[in-house]
Amino acid sequence: MLKRISTQQLAVGMFIEAVEGTLSNQKISQKHRFLLQREEAVQQLKRSGAESIVINTAKGTDVGFSMHAALSKPDTSPVAVAAVTQSVRSAADAIAETFSIAENGGPVSFEGMTEAADKIADAVQNNPAVFIGVTRLKSKDETTFVHSVSVSGLMVLFGNYLGLNRETVKLLGVSGLLHDIGKVEIPSSILNKTESLDAREREIINMHPVFGRDILSRDEEMPEMVLDVCFNHHERVDGGGYPSGRVGSELSLYARLAAICDVYDAVTSVRPYKKPWTANEALTWMLRREGHFDMQLLKKFALCISASLPRA
């Protein structure tokens, strides 16, 4: 949807379709379409002399929504950390209950997951650095559940950074929560194994996207995006992933986005049996994994994380 606004209403995350009026800053093109990703660009437009701006709310955020909180200094006060921790634990409990229902043959309700996804979205948008910090901590017993919460939050954060519309970002949040639900069909002896998996065990765990899609399909109202992310989040752009070996051109933006968030959380998590990588170590390693990720998308994710975490 196109909307004409004043320059004073501009905010990070908006998609600019047109800049109207006589501009004092000739570096700004009136025909150039772009996503506002930095506060400096917002201020430049406000000083340009433009009379009005045409934004596209289907490709970016609307008036009244701002990513300023996500890009500002994090609130690390005990109260703020406790609030985020409570949101994460509450969502993890909801996921644990949902996984239990699925394990016993019951359907997974899409509507039932939207409330948890909304709470995660609020937490990550208001205080992304604290959210990322809290979800790095995973005990052995809750790894799968907190991982799901973390991937959900990262997908919401990245979706907003890319300027995707609200409904799409909301679906990304639910998709993140449910992407690993197929693991309820995997024996705990394999899931909890700290040593390397043998070939047979690897074959079994590689089936969890298939199991997950089957479980989610029990709900006829389950959105296609949620099914897509669940089935394809372990695929690689070079065709070397699983379960189908699809290549990048066959993978949706949402599946490619989920693959990045899933791996990033896995390698940066604090667990009893492994040392976590820093954000820089994780992103450096991921950027060297030629053929694994959509590199253009990964570079944007790196910028998103850099903007969300406090500078050292």
Side-chain angles (χ1 to χ4, degrees):
M1 175 181 175
L2 300 183
K3 179 182 291 188
R4 180 174 284 102
I5 65 172
S6 72
T7 56
Q8 297 309 308
Q9 292 175 292
L10 284 170
V12 172
M14 290 181 174
F15 189 91
I16 308 301
E17 288 284 353
V19 180
E20 301 175 328
T22 302
L23 305 183
S24 60
N25 189 338
Q26 297 304 313
K27 293 182 179 180
I28 300 175
S29 170
Q30 290 171 290
K31 295 182 179 180
H32 186 51
R33 301 165 68 246
F34 58 97
L35 176 68
L36 277 176
Q37 298 185 7
R38 294 289 184 270
E39 184 62 30
E40 297 93 307
V42 173
Q43 296 305 318
Q44 186 180 38
L45 271 173
K46 288 182 177 181
R47 296 191 300 266
S48 69
E51 296 174 4
S52 57
I53 307 289
V54 178
I55 64 172
N56 188 334
T57 59
K59 296 183 177 181
T61 56
D62 201 347
V63 175
F65 179 87
S66 173
M67 290 184 69
H68 174 73
L71 301 176
S72 60
K73 185 176 180 180
D75 180 359
T76 56
S77 67
V79 172
V81 173
V84 172
T85 301
Q86 177 58 35
S87 295
V88 169
R89 299 304 171 191
S90 176
D93 288 345
I95 287 295
E97 182 178 355
T98 298
F99 275 41
S100 178
I101 292 171
E103 189 173 12
N104 290 307
V108 174
S109 169
F110 168 72
E111 291 301 324
M113 283 289 92
T114 56
E115 182 178 352
D118 286 344
K119 290 180 179 178
I120 293 169
D122 287 342
V124 75
Q125 288 168 4
N126 292 334
N127 213 334
V130 172
F131 177 88
I132 292 171
V134 167
T135 54
R136 290 184 75 207
L137 304 172
K138 298 174 177 68
S139 70
K140 183 177 180 180
D141 294 334
E142 64 181 7
T143 294
T144 297
F145 309 130
V146 178
H147 171 67
S148 297
V149 172
S150 182
V151 171
S152 174
L154 288 170
M155 290 176 71
V156 166
L157 183 68
F158 194 23
N160 278 326
Y161 182 84
L162 294 174
L164 303 180
N165 64 61
R166 291 188 185 186
E167 187 58 32
T168 298
V169 172
K170 185 173 184 177
L171 284 175
L172 286 175
V174 176
S175 299
L177 285 177
L178 296 173
H179 78 286
D180 265 347
I181 196 164
K183 287 184 176 179
V184 301
E185 300 289 346
I186 306 299
S188 58
S189 59
I190 296 178
L191 279 181
N192 298 327
K193 188 175 181 180
T194 57
E195 301 84 13
S196 297
L197 301 177
D198 61 33
R200 178 54 182 161
E201 291 168 334
R202 175 54 61 186
E203 287 180 5
I204 293 172
I205 204 165
N206 284 3
M207 286 297 294
H208 79 268
V210 178
F211 298 148
R213 185 179 61 176
D214 291 345
I215 291 169
L216 295 179
S217 296
R218 295 172 191 166
D219 181 355
E220 295 181 355
E221 302 301 318
M222 191 64 64
E224 179 58 34
M225 183 197 296
V226 182
L227 298 173
D228 172 31
V229 166
C230 179
F231 189 70
N232 293 307
H233 69 278
H234 280 295
E235 297 290 359
R236 296 171 43 137
V237 296
D238 64 0
Y242 63 87
S244 300
R246 296 179 178 181
V247 296
S249 60
E250 300 173 314
L251 299 171
S252 70
L253 166 66
Y254 316 119
R256 287 178 279 129
L257 186 154
I260 291 170
C261 295
D262 182 41
V263 172
Y264 177 82
D265 180 69
V267 298
T268 58
S269 293
V270 179
R271 296 180 185 174
Y273 52 84
K274 67 177 282 289
K275 180 181 179 181
W277 290 353
T278 65
N280 184 62
E281 289 170 336
L283 292 167
T284 298
W285 176 79
M286 291 171 72
L287 286 164
R288 291 172 178 167
R289 301 276 293 177
E290 196 67 37
H292 194 141
F293 307 102
D294 178 329
M295 283 297 162
Q296 293 305 312
L297 196 60
L298 179 56
K299 289 174 183 177
K300 292 179 181 179
F301 179 75
L303 292 172
C304 172
I305 293 297
S306 177
S308 303
L309 294 177
R311 297 184 184 277

